[in-house]
Amino acid sequence: VGQGEGAVLDLEGRSLEVAVEPCEEVVLENEWVNLGWKFKRLKIVHAKFLGTGGVFVPHGRETRGKAVLEHVAMTGDASVWVTFHEGGLVLRNVTCRSTCQIASTGSDRNVKLEISGCRFLNTEEPGVIKGGLRLHHIKEARVTNTQIGGISASFTGGVKLTLEGCRFDGGFYLRQEQKGRIGKTKISRCDFTSEKIVFEGPRGGREKVTLKECHFKGDFTATPDEIVRYRIKAEGVKVVVKSPRPAPLEPADPGKPK
């Protein structure tokens, strides 16, 4: 259904697969895929979103189903902005330059998220900072080998969060208000180039989060205790840095959508 300058495809009670051969690419210009209350399955492979558009759930609504985006480039203001009641999302080799938000109606909901090999980058507009990734109340999220720039990487609520082999170029924020959860966070082999690294646990919390084999921009001779004291802000949680790496995993790669 065309609406305004673009088109909106409402996915309600059915499945959609958009896929071509690896040497080809589907181009979607100013087109939106609206995940209805209960869709079955969405799969988009080898595609490029131009201008506005992307995959979304309207504000104030939620969806149930499973979606997969693989080898997808989003340029301009195209993004993923969804809220799940049940189901989950898989993002593999997705590049985006606008802020992406993936949320759940509650961390007790059966919602799982897998992000691998993705790049959430700053916009190409001169002098403008936007973009990044926000995860809210996802029961189980695993983010690996992913670069997150733009404004920030923000992780709020949730039950089980794993971050492995990632690079954080914008601000890093991890917040958890409920007791017994932030201690389940696993962070390893990540590069923190941002000046803002913030951990917030429940008031009076005593749980521990360990950052293993991570790299922190700045003085490579700093001890783990000095990194915690001068580079990390922590409230309601104890942050421990173990075996910090003196160099990042790989050289900086600004990356551009194909």
Side-chain angles (χ1 to χ4, degrees):
V1 181
Q3 294 184 359
E5 296 181 357
V8 177
L9 175 61
D10 291 315
L11 198 60
E12 175 64 59
R14 53 181 175 165
S15 299
L16 172 67
E17 181 169 341
V18 179
V20 294
E21 296 297 324
C23 59
E24 299 177 343
E25 182 178 66
V26 175
V27 177
L28 304 167
E29 186 170 1
N30 299 325
E31 295 189 39
W32 296 91
V33 178
N34 174 18
L35 302 182
W37 159 240
K38 191 175 183 181
F39 73 99
K40 293 181 179 180
R41 188 169 185 267
L42 169 67
K43 185 174 183 179
I44 301 177
V45 182
H46 295 293
K48 178 185 285 187
F49 285 86
L50 302 179
T52 60
V55 179
F56 82 113
V57 173
H59 179 71
R61 298 184 183 181
E62 57 201 57
T63 189
R64 303 172 70 179
K66 295 182 178 180
V68 176
L69 275 65
E70 190 168 355
H71 296 287
V72 174
M74 294 185 168
T75 65
D77 291 326
S79 68
V80 177
W81 198 280
V82 294
T83 300
F84 282 90
H85 180 82
E86 183 179 316
L89 175 65
V90 175
L91 301 179
R92 297 193 187 102
N93 298 302
V94 173
T95 300
C96 185
R97 289 190 177 273
S98 187
T99 301
C100 291
Q101 177 170 297
I102 304 160
S104 167
T105 51
S107 55
D108 58 329
R109 302 295 185 188
N110 188 24
V111 177
K112 295 184 178 181
L113 171 67
E114 177 190 334
I115 299 177
S116 178
C118 296
R119 293 182 296 175
F120 301 91
L121 307 174
N122 188 31
T123 177
E124 293 182 301
E125 299 177 46
V128 177
I129 298 178
K130 65 179 181 180
L133 176 66
R134 303 173 185 170
L135 304 186
H136 297 307
H137 304 291
I138 303 297
K139 185 174 183 178
E140 185 174 339
R142 180 176 177 83
V143 185
T144 60
N145 304 317
T146 290
Q147 179 182 356
I148 305 175
I151 298 174
S152 67
S154 177
F155 308 94
T156 305
V159 177
K160 185 177 180 181
L161 172 66
T162 299
L163 304 174
E164 181 179 347
C166 296
R167 173 177 171 136
F168 302 100
D169 294 323
F172 176 91
Y173 301 91
L174 174 59
R175 298 183 174 94
Q176 177 59 264
E177 296 179 353
Q178 296 189 42
K179 294 182 178 180
R181 292 187 172 181
I182 196 167
K184 297 179 181 180
T185 302
K186 296 181 179 180
I187 303 176
S188 62
R189 296 184 60 76
C190 291
D191 295 340
F192 293 87
T193 65
S194 170
E195 299 296 330
K196 294 183 179 179
I197 307 173
V198 179
F199 291 81
E200 294 182 4
R203 181 174 297 181
R206 297 182 178 180
E207 294 177 81
K208 180 175 69 174
V209 174
T210 301
L211 282 62
K212 298 180 180 179
E213 299 181 31
C214 293
H215 167 73
F216 300 85
K217 180 182 178 181
D219 184 2
F220 299 150
T221 65
T223 66
D225 288 343
E226 289 173 336
I227 292 173
V228 172
R229 184 179 302 116
Y230 300 114
R231 293 296 313 280
I232 298 173
K233 179 181 178 181
E235 297 181 0
V237 60
K238 180 180 180 181
V239 177
V240 176
V241 172
K242 187 175 182 180
S243 303
R245 288 181 292 103
L249 289 174
E250 57 184 18
D253 178 9
K256 290 185 179 180
K258 58 186 177 178

